[in-house]
Structures are given as structure tokens and as C-alpha cells.
Amino acid sequence: MRKQGLYDPAFEHDACGVAFVARLDGVRSHETIAQALVALEHMEHRGAAGAEAETGDGAGILVQLPDTFLRSVVDFELPEAGRYGVAVCFLPRSAPRRAELEQLLERTVRAEGQAVLGWRDVPVDRRHAGSQASLFAPTIRQLFVGASSEAGDDPLAFERKLYVIRRVAEREAGPDLVIPSFSARTLVYKGMLTSPQLGRYFTDLADETMTSALALVHSRFSTNTFPSWELAHPYRMIAHNGEINTLRGNVNWIRARESQLASELFGSDSAKLAPIVRPGGSDTAVFDNVLELLVLSGRSLPHALMMMVPEAYGGRADVSDALRGFYRFHECLTEAWDGPAAIAFTDGTLIGATLDRNGLRPGRWLETTDGLVVLASETGVLDIPADRILRKGRLQPGKLFLVDLAQGRIVPDVEAKEEVAARKPYGEWFEREHVRLADLPPRTRAEHRDEPVRLLQLAFGYTQEDMKVMLAPLAVNGEEAIGSMGNDTPLAVLSNRRPLLYSYFKQLFAQVTNPPIDPIREAVVMSVQSLVGSEHNLLAETPAHARQLVIDNPILRDEELESLRQVDSDVFKAHTIDFTWPVAEGVDGLEPALERICAEADAALEEGSNILIVSDRNVGPDRVAMPSLLAVGAIHHHLVRAGTRLQAGLVVESGEPRSVQSVAVLIGYGAAAVNPYLMLATIGQLVDEGRIELDRATAEERALKAVGKGLLKTISKMGISTLSSYCGAQVFEAVGLSNELVDRHFTGTPSRIGGIGTGELAEGALTRHARAYPGNAGELLPVVGLYAWRRDGEHHQWNPETIALLQHAVRGGGRSTYEQFAAAVNDDSARRSTLRGLLRFRTAGDGGIPLDDVEPASEIVKRFSTGAMSLGSLSREAHETLAVAMNRIGGRSNTGEGGEDPERYLDERRSKIKQVASGRFGVNIDYLTNADEIQIKMAQGAKPGEGGQLPGHKVDAYIAGVRFTTPGVGLISPPPHHDIYSIEDLKQLIYDLRCANPGARISVKLVSEVGVGTVAAGVAKCNADHILISGHDGGTGASPISSILHAGVPWEIGLAETQQTLVLNGLRSRVWVQTDGQLKTGRDVVVAALLGADEMGFATAPLIATGCVMMRACHLNTCPVGIATQDPELRRRFTGQPEHVIEFFFHVAEDVREIMASLGIARFEDLVGRVDLLEADGALVHWQTRGIDLSNVLRIPDVPEGTPLRRTEAQVSPILHALDWRLIEAAAPALDDDTPVEATFAVRNVDRTVGGLLSHQVAKRRGRAGLPPGSVRFELRGSAGQSFGAWLAPGIELTLVGDANDYVGKGLSGGVVAVRPPGDAAYRAEENVIVGNTVLYGATSGRAFFRGVAGERFAVRNSGALAVVEGLGDHGCEYMTGGRVVVIGPTGRNFAAGMSGGIAYVLDDDRFAARCNTQLVALEPLEEADEIVVRSLLDEHVARTGSPVADALLADWDPARFTKVIPHDYKRALAVHGEARYSDQPISTGGGGFFTKESEEAA
Amino acid sequence: MGRIGAFLKVGRTEAPERPPAERVADYHEFVGTLPLTELREQAARCMECGVPFCHHGCPLGNLIPDWNDLVYRDRFDEAIQQLHRTNNFPEFTGRLCPAPCEAACVLEINEGNAVSIKQVELAIIDRAWDEGWVVPQPAAQKTGRSVAVVGSGPAGLACAQQLQRAGEDVVVYERDEAAGGLIRFGVPEFKIEKRLVERRVQQLAAEGVEFRFGVNVGVDVTAAELQARHRAVVLATGSRIPRDLPVPGRDLVGIHFAMDYLYDRARAVAGTASGGISAAGKHVVVIGGGDTGADCVGHAHREGAASVTQIELLGTPPPSRPDDLTPWPLWPMKLRTSYALKEGGERQFAISTTHFSGANGTVEAIHWQENTGTPPFELVPGTAESRPAELVLLALGFLGPEVELLDQLQVERDARGNAAAARYLTSADGVFAAGDVRRGQSLIVWAINEGRQCAESVRAWLDAEGRSERPNAFVSIATTGTSE
């Protein structure tokens, strides 16, 4: 499907399950293939189907070229194996075109000196493909190519030739010709199939003579269902689970490198290779393209992967010098391909997998005693008896898992890497050749013209607020300023203020298909290092490649910039390009200036410069600066197009940047470093004037650090961990820039509503310049009211007038006052501030229908919800007022992410929507069971891609009780859900939540950004019932100001994109769509409905109805009206009543009815999706003059008449065949009359969330107390699927004999989980992996025992469970707030990051201290009380799992072998409040820490 | 942003006043400001709201949170710059404005808690004068254009100063002997000492504004002459026709309009004239419960009146903000006791004057009856009462501007009789209007705001001279903010 409206296939995401089977002895067999297909089938739940269940998103298999089989099926002679290759071709079904392409291929083969041997039709059984898939199925043929005699003995030489043939033919043929594989070594079968269909569709795969010693399979989950056979995996060398976040930058850089590519191996063929990247490919396809090139040009497969997906080596003692040298050297060659990725790879002899540095995808492997190696996204995909298993493991962050069939063994990560690292003296080369900026001699500015700072500030549009709100906090606190509430100012393009160009760029962020990162708690993976210099041929490696200037912090001080500018070296040569233009030339001067700077860049490169400093230092009375971002974008893209970009690094010297956003955008568009000289001078001025009570150096230092931190936060929002990968990655969406401008200077950036061009930018620059010149150096800076309303400043939708009118309307003013309010919001200046303001209704020509015919307001208000505002961010009084109001009108309120007081579950204070956010605060089985709707918050409009923090002073006893945490201890919400790194993970969480409450509807909250429509389609395919598209302008209790202002886009765009994508995909009928973001009036509601929303959410407006006055002090706990505070004194000032909220919603609904009448529509549901009833308002000239084009937003999807535009049917329940129904049956005696039960069941990896539905039954019948201990004791045998024991309720004990996948004990709510290997296992449990990643995530109480090693992020966000484990991966006990964890084996890195509560007891192997993140915790010896806890848990561990390790520890008890890990704050809180009250009871009932009103008063 | 949470720990403190018994013995100002350390604590209470309702409540749009913060941080020199940015005469407003900003302060949601904004304002400007920070700011470049401003009240002065600083040559015509209008002659010395007014007038003069006193435009200079002399004319003549009380006995001697009394007293206190209306030794009745009435009461006390009674037609307002009628942030219609009544005298609400009586053509008594307190003010039977009254002062507000000059200039009037000038330009070519003459009687802050905005309009209009698009009824694109 082609791009139409807001839908663009470029934003599709995919993820999946991946597996391979390999025989170490290299013996080819059909069994290997058959086993791989079985494994594939057992991962079907990781893939997805679209609107039609039988059409899969893609499945495929890669095998060794099956020589015997192929000989038996072709009717022509084949040379010996290795001397011929097979091109698998997807050809058009149209015969003439197919013939053309076949001739093209044959012609190319011959032209490249090889022999065409013949064609074979690949037989397929069309019954085993869905109808959609069949409709688009290509004709699949294999072309056999014989090697010419010249090819010689190097087997790779022939592979290279085949590669060249493919590149040449592909380029000439365009998108019609797809060649999934073309090799003498491997063969691929793939298509738009479900996992079970693959083996049946391709009948070859069933042929017993088809043999291979390895097989790589993949099951795909795409975020939408547009047919594509090409995008199925495996590709030629890899299959991938995850997503490359930095793709756009990687592609740009590869494109820039093409002109330099030269390989001795390819010789004269080098010229035929470009473009390296096939257009239209997915992230995986592009990665495969580059990997293939690197390997064919002489690097080994491990080598190439170590270049592209380097591990995080910074600050690690366990990385050898040689390896460190390798990474450093290769950083000079290429930036990392960053993002969550489990990449399985093979060249036919080596097969293996690697994981990104963050370890964000699962991978489990095992080796059998008879030489079989199985790796898969999940354990248990093949039935292998325990006594045949030699060892088990998991993929680890940044580690290679490598199987070499030639050597017949698994090659350890270290061995493989050291071998590669030893190939050349990379470290020496790097040390010798690179130059550190810090080592350059300091320089002062040569020509010094001191323009008064104040004039420069005026010329660059500085405001008083910039000083006060942005800059001073940077310098004082070393942190970006924090704000609260949402952004209610106009988009840059709609503002009359002429905002700087930076503010037209909206930061993209990770949601669902990839996770954001926590740059503070997971600093180990982050890096802001930047390199400047010329790059050399990617395909070669010489010492000269390391001739790069290394910059530790990309924000340069003036002296550092001078060091660069005056660099005295035979390697580096800097050239400064002045991007100012003469004021006298006026607006017309900008275009020539752009041409001049590009030409100057060309000339500088000609002369051998390799550092280009673009500068506006020449600003003065006669010269005006263009936006620095325009200068950078123009030169960057000009050089990319010219193929010379890599000859130099770009450095910006500008007075304009002064915020995290401005620096981030400059780097995102190609700058390697930025010298914000005016920002630094201004900070100096603030120091001199005594406004900052620091010395200049400290202030500057802190400000630079703060911007660096802000940058990390910005890049981590997108899931990117290194600045060098972010450089040029363009992870922005432009809103309000003309396509012409974007295409030329910001090529590849999405820009969907048109907007201003260079003319307007020039006018803006000149206007600012005119404020400064001729000028007065004593003049005050303007106050523009961007952050807080000012009368003559920027327009705010919430201003004294609208706030007062709304409050008066609901406090006796009545309908007429509401109408004044609505008029103030909807009209005139207000209409200039939002996109919806630019639209108007196409009212019915006949005057519509009588108002009485329109459905009553009491029905309409049921579609309204209040926003997710947590108890904690809001006071109890405010939170309950909203809930009561919504219950009384039949709408819905939302708990927010802070849990809910169980006392409220059954009365009118309950919130129907229970939110599940990344912190999982207050989420247990009882909470979930009492929901009408469970909302998974993927992102928040005000700060998408970020986590949150509730400072300790806001966590009083009540709040702590509701959240199952400790009073006074601050709480951290991680940026990602640690069980959602990818779309199939979301599918799993939805499944988990369905089990926790089968009656609730499951909602997923997304934030509007480019591509949100395809994400929403993926969410619909994940079986969600409800999708919320939030606007960027939503509120917050506390966020960095750059996030509030610069991340995300308006809901109008996101909603329209979502509606169009869902309708085009045939998915719209299955889901409700809701939108929110600064909705205020009936007009807003109707626009939202017409653009596709069934329901609407409101947050700020109802808060204002209850008395909020937009203080924007939510983050300070000083809310003077008692809403966003926990201060008892201030809470008493709250005067809001449910009636105020109810009155507001009824006014809105009546307003809606009047509009409906005028549109001639009686029922609200008939409004939904009727975009034809909207049009751009031609009367508003200002936006036309700014080039805004809303036709994409108003696009009517091209679908047949009658295609549903709203939800008309339910999702098919995925839980009908769950194992739990049998568990519930067996548990009946316990559930009905407390008779304890015991039973045994078989389990396998397709049985997911075992215990979830059962726990729901317990919670439903018994509430939070659950069943008496030991009521239900089940033993399960086998490999359990994901989320084993999730939400387990009190009284349930599950013992798994076997192993388990990710998310064991997720949200554990009082039950007991134990996992141990079978008695006959051939391996030692404590040395092998038994449970996967993210175990006990968000557990609130209960106990868990694991006899074996766990994966990454064990006990992440545990708030009450007690656990014993025999070893774990990286990031253990991250963000933990309560509970006890005993570790009796090795721990990975970054243990206890963000841990603010609970205690861990770790068996110390002397390396522990180095692996522990001690930002928040202390390491101490055990006290007597600790010993009692540890010993009793170990006793139970022995009892439940038979662990010999624990047994030995107890037998030879020595507390000194353990280290106690306790957070400082937690320790303090325990000391203040007493151990007894807050300690976790050995058997918690899932509410033990809860404080009722009485107990709070007693306190 | 002030000090976080200070409003929870520091209470509002009112501006200190001299004790009533002491102050009635002289004509000096009786309201002061807190010592600076305490004052800065008051400023610290400001929360620098995301939506500063005070700033909206202030007709001038004073950047209140910004200068509150500067005062808290002891940066008075910058605070005065911020304050002067929106307000030409803070020493006037800091003394005379009823402070709608404080009524709109977010802390005033809890009534009586508002930040002491007015006091902070006054402290800033008084300190600025003391420190010598207030200096003439003559224009750097002159345009060579001449503009007449008629009337030297706060609107006229603000307009004149803005125009002069922008490079125009301004001539102010004033029919009285000194500048300031009601501030000079209507408002008592003990509320604002006239030396302060004169000090500001001298700043304008030093900036180049030419003052012509004793010139009654329309009489001494005709409208045509004025227009011939100047490129533009700004009318800032106020709204000076007082409301009368047409009841029997109104013609008796001893019944005066309040403003006549106040003018006489002002001149007497200044020593520029003697005689005139006096309250000394008399039973004084002031009709009208507003600020003018209070000023009459205050003067009467200082003159040594035998008794002072102030009566008001409307009923007793509620003691605290009536949320159903004037909810926050609106100006609350509630009971306020004027400074003057704290000094003595009696006050009665819901009183309808029925007639005056006297002997020898001189008033001796007032006769009234209680009414229902709300329109149509029906009389309550059986409540008729008489009081001795030797001096009756009518402080019933103003009906509108004097019309002679407007008529001469052929300026169209709006429905209320004020000069019609939507964007300050009237129907007469090159004639502008600002202040009470345009909007009817109002607050000094509105007057200053009008003067400032009118200056913007004048400049834009002058700049557009010769351009075809210069409209007759000029709609300025350059005016900033919302004027009403």
C-alpha cells in the first residue's frame, strides 16, 4: 500500500520471534529443518495476523544450500556444490513484466561473466496462505547461476560476484524484483505467512531430501497489515527481533559513505555497489544490506557485527585493552546501529546471535549432549528431555553467541571477540592517531570584536524568561528546569511571536515498538562522546582511519572552539563558514547566503579542511544571522548529496542555541559539536550581576553538564544510547515547515501540514535583528509569556479570562457563562493557536435537524473520561472529586499510575479506568480485578518517552500505602515498561491483563507523533480494545520544560493518522479510539469525533472546574488550591465539588448537541470518522499565508463504501484456550469451600500467564486477602510460556519443574512461585539459566524461589515480594522499592540502579561492589535481624526447590559471605518509622502495607 | 519566583498607617510602607503563578510577579525598570489605586491573603526616587512632529510622556494653574502629597514636554487654532460633569458638589488660594459612599467639622466576597470601611435623600428615609429621619465629559456621551481621546493605560501619514494588549 493521507509505510515497525537450530557436527539432516519449523510454530504467539486471521505478517526459514535436494529437482546439470549459486526471486505475476525481469537477471549474470544454468519454479501450496497474502503473492522462482572458472578458490569471490549481480539487477529493476537470497551457501524460503503455514506453503520444506545442518527461522509481527512478502525474515544473513532506532541517521551516513567505498576484493566492481541500501527496506533489511557488504568485503561476520552493534565498554574493567582498542578504532569508522535488537545471523557455516548493549530482547539457548544447539526468543520451543540438555543460557547484552559448525563447537564470546580484536593493532592505531580536544593547547579568539551581550541577546531573540526559567536553573542546579501542567501555547507556525526554527521540530520518542532508556539509572550504556574529522573508506582499515578528534562533551566552551579553529596539525584543518548575511539585502539575502555557505563548504573540502565551523560570530549592526539549524541542515544535506559529507565534521558556533532542544536539534541534523557562545556569555553575565551565586567557571561547568544530561535524556527518549548514533539521525518531525524547505535542507524529515519557508525565516531573523540594532545596550529584554501567561505575550488557551469564565460557569454562572467561555476558547485569537481552530464544520445545507432529535446529553457524557492523574500528583480530595463526578454521569475517571485506595473500589469514588504504567505502583490482582478498563500507559503527552519521579516529600503514609511503598522514600517510574520493549511484548502484557480481568476492556495510551497510526494498528493487532491518542499538549505534574514544549505533536494529526491507518487496514471496527489533549468545548469534541474518536478525555478543564488556576506549581507541592499537593494545610483549601465537574461536562455535551443538530446528525456514533464534515476554514487568512495545508489531516481513506469508521465488533478473545481454565477447574474445591487442592499439569511455552486467570477468580471471590496460605498447590512440568505466575494471588503456590521464559511472577500479588529443574537434568542448575528477563516486575507481595540463574532486570520495581535466586544478569533489583531479594550466585552489572526501597542480600564474590550501582544504596554487613530473614528464605528455598547451593550455605553458615544492599532513604525511613511497621511480612496478603483512613489519623 | 512556600509561612501585612487621632491633625500622608526587610518578605509571598491573575487584573498589565520577585531578591533598581515598563507613574498608582490586582491575586482565593502588591509597588518607586534612579529620558531622536495633549490628568500626562520619549514634540494644555488634574486637585494632600505630583511633572518637562497652564482650550484657544498648530490632538479632558441630586431644597446654600469642595481644599492646603467651601465647625453630610465621598469626609475631619455623616443609596454590602455575584478574581462588591471613617464620622446604607430644608436660603437639615437597598430602592415606611446638615457634599459620581470642546472639534459621542474612539482616534481628523473622556469615569490605572495606548495610536497614525491606507477611523495594529 502506498503513502496516502497521513499514512506512510516508512513508519511500519516489526518485531517478532526468532530461532535457530544447528548441529555442531555439521551433519546435514532434514530433521534440523523440521525442528526449526516446530520451533517456529511454537513462537506463533509472538507473530501476528492482520484483519484477516489467516494472513500472517510473515514467516521464513534460511537453510544451507541443499545441494542433494536441488540436484533432484532441476532438469539441468549443476556443477559441484559451491560452484553454483541460487537466486530466490520474488517476481511479478504479470507474465510480460516477469519475463523482462528474468531476462534482466540472465543478462546481468552473463555480463558479470557467470553462467545461467536454468530456472526452477518453486512449488507452493496456495491453500496454506491467507486470502490477502495470496492476493499479493509473488511468483517465486529460483535462478541457478554457475561460477565462472575465474572465480578461483576463494569461495567468497563467487559470493561477491553473486552480490554484484544482485545489486546491479535490483537497481535496474526497481521495486518489482525481490531477491530474498542469492548465494552458493544459503537458501531462503519466506513469505507473508503465519508460522504454521510456512512449512505447508513451501512443499520443498517437507521433502526428506531437503537437508541442512542449520536452520534459521523467524515469525514476524508488523504494526500493520499492508501486504508485503519481501519484508518477511530471514534476510540474506540475518533475522532480527527488535528495531533500529537510529535508522535514519545510519542510512544517511551509509549514503554519505558510498562515494568513498573501495574494496580491493571487489576491485572494479566497487563502483557497482551503490546504493548499498535498497530503497523501501525495513530497518532489518537495511542492516542486512550493510552487514552483507562488510562481510563480503573481507570482514568476518563477528567482526562486522561488533562494528555495527558494539557492546557498552566504557568504564568497564572486564574488557581487555585489545578489545577496547578495537571498539575505539571502529567508532571512527561507523556509528553504532542502536536500538533493541536480538540479531540472529549466519553465513551458512557460522551461526549465532547477538544482543544490543541494553539487552532489550530475549534469547535463550541450549546445547544437548548429542551436539544440537537451539536458540530461540523463548525457551521450550522444542521438546528436549532434561537428561539430554548439557547446558542452557541466554543472550546477554552486547554479547555474541556464536556457533561454528566448522569447528563443531560454541565459541565463547570472549574468545570470538578477542580473536577479532587481535587481527590488527587497532588499539595502537587509535592511540597513535586520534587527538583529544582536551589535549589541544588552549587558544583565545584571534579577532575579537566585542558586540555587547545585550544586543546579541536581542538579536537572537533572548527573553527574560530564557534567563530566569531556562538558563539560571541550568547553571544553578546543573539540571534542566522542571515545569508542570501542559503546553497551551500555539504551535510555532501559528504563533505571532516568530519562534526560533528549533521550535518547529518535535522530538520523536519510543513507544511500544522500542523502549526508551533511563539515562540516569542506566548510565553504563550511555555516551556523549563525539568525533570530528574526515572519515575514510569503510571497507578498508588503516591507521589513518583513527585520525579523529575526540570530543568528550559536544557542547564546547569558547576556548575549546578556538582550539579547534586554530588547530595546528597536519591532520586537522579547520575552516570557519560565516552564515550571516548583510542586513541591507533584506529578506532576499537569505537564499544567496545559503548558496554561498554550501559553496564555501565545497571549497573548504577541496582545500583539505576537515573541520567546518559554521559561525554567526559576525552578527552585528550590519549582518544578520540565519537560523543556525538552517545553516547546519543546508550544509549537511548539501554535502550528503555531493557525497563529500564524510570528509569533514560540522561544528556550530552560534549565539542562537540556549536550550537542550536547540542543541539536540543541531546534533540531530549533523553537528558534531556546538559552541553556544551567547548562552555561555549570558551565564557569565548572570554571574557578574549576582543573579547566580556561583563563580563563572562553576556556573559554566554546571550549565554544560546540564545540557549534556538533557541531551542524554532527549536521545534516550528515542531509545538511543550514544550521541554519535544520534548525530544526523534526524529523529524529529517538523510541524509547520514547507515541504520545499524540508526536502532541501532537512531531507527525509516528516513534515505533514506544510508551513513556512525560507522567506518567513528570513523575516523572523530580520525582525529580531531590528530589535537589537540600532540599539541600547541597557534595554530590558522582552517578557514573552511563553512559560507563564503575560498580557502582551504569547497566547495561552488557559488565561485569566478562560479560567475565570469556566469556574464561574460551573459555580452558578450557568449556560450563558459557559457560552462566554466557549466563545473565548473557540474564537478569534484562540483559533489561531490550534490546528482544530483552523477547521470548520460543513453544516447541513437544510439547517440540520431539530435539537430535540439529537441524542440527550446524558448519553453523550458517557463518552467522556477524565485524564490519568495519579493519586500522589493530585490530592486525595481532588482525585476523589473527579471520580465521583464521572461515576455519577456514567463517564470514567482514571486512577493514574499511583494505584487506588481499595476502600474506593466498591463505592462511587472508584475510578473505572485503572492505569498500568511503567512504575506499576499500586498494581496488583485486586486492583486489576476491580477495573472496568485497564489502561496501559505507553507514553504521556507532556513527556513522552520519559519516566517520572515522585519526590519523597510527596510520599506520605497514605500515598505510600496505596502504592505499596515506604513513606518519605521517593519513587521512580522507569522510562520504559520493562515488559514492553517491542510490539509482541505489548501483546503479551495485554494477554496478561486479560487474564487478570477478562471482563475489563484493555486500553493502550499512545502519544501523537509521526507513525503513531502504524503503532496503533499494531496495538489493535495486539488485541487491545481501546486506543487512546494523546496530544502533545497534555499535562504533567513535573517534566523538564523541553519535554513539555518540544516532544510530540497535536492530537489532530495523530488521531487522523490513526483513523486513516486503522480504516485502511480494516482494523478500525475492532477498537474504540479515544483522544485527549487540551479539549475544552463542544466544538473540540465534535472535531475529535469527526477525525475519528469514539471517546474523549479531559484533564485540565475538569481540574479547572474544581478550582485549579494553572499555577503550574504541581512539582513544588505548593498548589494554593489544594489540588496538586499533599500538604494537609493546602489540601484543606480545596473547594471543588463533583457538581462542578458534572456541570462542566453537561455544558460541553449540550454544546455538542447543538453542533450535531446543525450538522444534521442525531446520534453521536454517526459523527465518528465523518471527516467529510470538516473543512479548512478559508476565512482564516493567517494560516494560509503561512503555507499550512491540512489536506492530509482531512483525507478520506480510500476504502470501499460501508467500511466501518468506528468500533462495531469485539476483539476475538485470546484466552479461550488458556491452561488456566483447567487450573480453575482443579482449584474449585479451594475456591468454593476452602478445601486445599494439589494437582500436576504439563506446561509448555505456548501456555502463557499461567495462574493469571486463576488469580482473578481468587481476587473476585475473596478480595485482596485471597485464599488461606497453601490452599492451591499446583506443580507444572515443562517449559512455561511468558509471564508464568503473573499476578498470583494469595493462597496459590505454583511450582514449575522445568524452566520459564520472561516475566515470571510479574505483578506477583501474594502467591508463591518456585522454579526448579527436573530431577534428571544433566546440567548443574546454578550454572544455567532457568528463568528469563524481567522476573518479578512490579511484584507487590508473595514469594518466589528460583533454583538457577535469571536474566536481566531481576525483581525490577519489586515493591514487596521476597525472592531467592541463584544468579542474575544486569540491572538486578532496578527501581526496587520494597521486598527482600537474596542472591546466592553471581550478579550482572548495574545492580540496584534506582533502587529506593527494599533490601537485597547478595552472596559476595568480591566483584560485587564493582557491579553495584551505588547512587542510592549502601553496602553493609548483615545484622542479626538480616540473618534471620536470609536463613528463613534459604530454608524455604531448599524446601521448595531442593537447592544444593542453599543447602550448603545453610550447613556452613557464614553471614560474612553476604553483602546487604540497602537504599539510604529506605534505611532512614525505617529508622524514623520503625522496622515493625514497614517491614515486609514473610507472608503478605497483598495489602499488608496499606493504611486506611483510621490508621493514618492514628499516625 | 518569590520563595517557594513562603505564602504558607508569612502572612499578609497591610501597609502601616498613622493612627487616626494623629493624622487628622495635619495634611501629611498617612499611609507608609513596611521596612524593606519586611516588605521583601511580603514580596516573597508571591508565587509567580503560571497564570498571574494579578497581572490580568491590573488595567496597566503591570508585570507584578516579575517585580515582586525582584523586590524579594533586593533588586529594586531592576524592579523599577520593570515597573516603569508598563506604568509611567507608579507613585500615583501605588498611593491611589484601589488595587484590583490584589483582588485578583491567587492567594486572595482565600480572602484577605493577597500579596501586598500595592505596597510593594509603592516601595519600589519611592526608593527609586530616593536613590535618584528616576531621571529624565529624553528621546534619542526627534521626529519633528508636534502633538497637543489637552488636559494634564494621568491620562494626558502618560500620553504626553510616551509621545515625548518617542520623539514627538508635545504641548500639554491645562486650564488649571498646575498639572495633575484630579490627582492634583481632587485627591487630598494626605493621600498624595502634591510635591510628588510636581516632581513627576518636572520629569516630563525635563524630557521636553511643554506645559501651558491656565489655557482653557475651546475658550482661550479655539479648536481650529489647536489643530492648525499641531499634527495631532489628544483629548484627555476627563469626565467632569457631576451627577446631581434633584430633590426639594437642592438650591439651598451649603449644598455643593464634592469636587468643588475638594478643589477648594486642595488650593487652601497648597496655600494658593484661601476661602472657598469649608467644613470647619459644621455638621457635614456627604452623600455618596465612594472614594470621593471618603475624601470629603477626610477633609471634613481635618477641618474640624462638628459632625460628619456619610450616606449611601445602596444597601449594606456583604462583609466578605459574595461568590455568587462577584466571585474571585472579579472585584468583590463587599463592605469596605474607608480610611476616613476610621478617623470618625457615621455611615449609613440604603438611604434615600427625600429633601433638604433650611433657613435664609441656607441648608440646615437633610431628610431621608431608608430604602430596600436594591433597585428600584423603594422607601421603607416609617423610617423617615432628619439630621442637621450645614454642609452637604454630593459625591454621586460623574455623568460624562464636558461637551463644548468635543462639539467644537465635532467629535462623535458614544451612547454614554463619551468621546467615541474605538482605537483612540475619534471621528475628527487627527483628534484622539484617552482617559475618562473616552471611557467615562474610572480608575487612575485605566487613565494611565489609555494615555499609553493612545500614544501608540497617535504614533502609528502619524507614521502612516501620506500612505493611502491611512484610514479615517484608524484601526491601529500596533496597540498592544487588551485595553478593556
Side-chain angles (χ1 to χ4, degrees), chain A residues 979 988-996 1249 1283 1286-1287 1306:
Chain A
D979 53 357
Q988 176 61 34
L989 178 60
I990 290 173
Y991 186 91
D992 293 336
L993 295 172
R994 282 229 187 274
C995 292
T1249 323
S1283 302
W1287 325 118
K1306 175 188 292 188

Side-chain angles (χ1 to χ4, degrees), chain A residues 1184-1363:
Chain A
Q1184 291 170 321
T1185 58
R1186 292 182 197 173
I1188 300 175
D1189 174 5
L1190 293 175
S1191 57
N1192 282 336
V1193 171
L1194 298 179
R1195 168 94 181 204
I1196 301 169
D1198 185 12
V1199 289
E1201 180 90 26
T1203 303
L1205 300 176
R1206 60 183 167 85
R1207 184 185 184 272
T1208 54
E1209 59 183 329
Q1211 291 272 21
V1212 176
S1213 173
I1215 58 174
L1216 295 175
H1217 306 291
L1219 175 64
D1220 264 52
W1221 298 116
R1222 285 167 53 212
L1223 304 190
I1224 291 168
E1225 207 176 308
L1231 289 169
D1232 294 339
D1233 53 21
D1234 280 350
T1235 309
V1237 295
E1238 290 189 23
T1240 301
F1241 302 86
V1243 67
R1244 57 170 315 136
N1245 78 310
V1246 298
D1247 298 318
R1248 294 175 294 144
T1249 323
V1250 173
L1253 280 162
L1254 173 62
S1255 295
H1256 170 70
Q1257 287 299 322
V1258 171
K1260 200 161 91 176
R1261 298 181 195 205
R1262 305 299 183 96
R1264 74 190 111 132
L1267 294 169
S1271 297
V1272 176
R1273 290 189 166 144
F1274 291 153
E1275 183 174 294
L1276 297 112
R1277 295 175 168 274
S1279 289
Q1282 296 172 83
S1283 302
F1284 177 79
W1287 325 118
L1288 215 57
I1292 306 176
E1293 299 181 3
L1294 297 186
T1295 300
L1296 173 64
V1297 181
D1299 59 2
N1301 278 292
D1302 294 352
Y1303 322 134
V1304 176
K1306 175 188 292 188
L1308 189 69
S1309 300
V1312 181
V1313 177
V1315 187
R1316 61 180 166 85
D1320 55 356
Y1323 53 90
R1324 289 164 69 95
E1326 64 273 23
E1327 291 170 1
N1328 288 276
V1329 171
I1330 191 153
V1331 289
N1333 296 330
T1334 315
V1335 168
L1336 295 174
Y1337 181 26
T1340 56
S1341 62
R1343 304 190 303 287
F1345 303 91
F1346 305 108
R1347 188 183 150 193
V1349 176
E1352 311 338 306
R1353 295 187 173 79
F1354 183 84
V1356 52
R1357 263 296 299 121
N1358 174 27
S1359 59
L1362 315 178

Side-chain angles (χ1 to χ4, degrees), chain A residues 464 468 488 686 689-692 774 778-783 787-792 796 798-801 803-804 807-808 811 1107 1109-1112 1116-1121 1127 1129-1130 1133 1135, chain B residues 1 4-5 7-8 47-53 55-56 58-63 65-66 69-70 75 78 81-82 85 106-107 109-110 113 323-324 327-330 446 449 453 480-483:
Chain A
Q464 291 197 24
K468 219 158 125 174
D488 59 347
L686 292 174
E689 291 172 353
R691 267 170 243 273
I692 297 176
E779 193 164 325
L780 287 183
L781 291 175
V783 176
Y787 310 111
W789 178 87
R790 289 291 182 272
R791 193 176 72 174
D792 296 338
H796 284 257
W798 289 116
N799 54 52
E801 192 188 359
I803 292 171
Q807 294 189 343
H808 298 168
R811 284 173 170 72
V1109 288
M1110 294 289 283
M1111 270 297 293
R1112 295 183 188 269
L1116 302 175
N1117 204 25
T1118 57
C1119 177
V1121 290
D1127 182 328
E1129 158 71 27
L1130 292 171
R1133 299 188 181 190
T1135 59
Chain B
M1 49 141 38
I4 293 169
F7 70 96
L8 287 169
M47 305 180 292
E48 199 161 354
C49 301
V51 179
F53 285 80
H55 166 61
H56 183 255
C58 173
L60 279 168
N62 276 345
L63 296 162
D66 302 75
D69 183 54
L70 290 166
R75 292 187 171 271
E78 276 170 65
Q81 285 191 60
Q82 288 283 36
R85 207 170 180 152
V106 166
L107 287 178
I109 292 174
N110 277 43
N113 268 298
D323 283 335
D324 49 339
W328 178 89
L330 302 181
W446 277 119
N449 185 55
Q453 298 214 27
T480 51
T482 50
S483 60

Side-chain angles (χ1 to χ4, degrees), chain A residues 74-78 106 115-120 142-145:
Chain A
V74 294
D75 48 10
F76 42 82
E77 277 296 306
L78 290 177
E106 292 181 20
V116 174
L117 301 175
W119 288 91
R120 168 179 183 250
Q142 293 167 339
L143 170 64
F144 289 72
V145 176

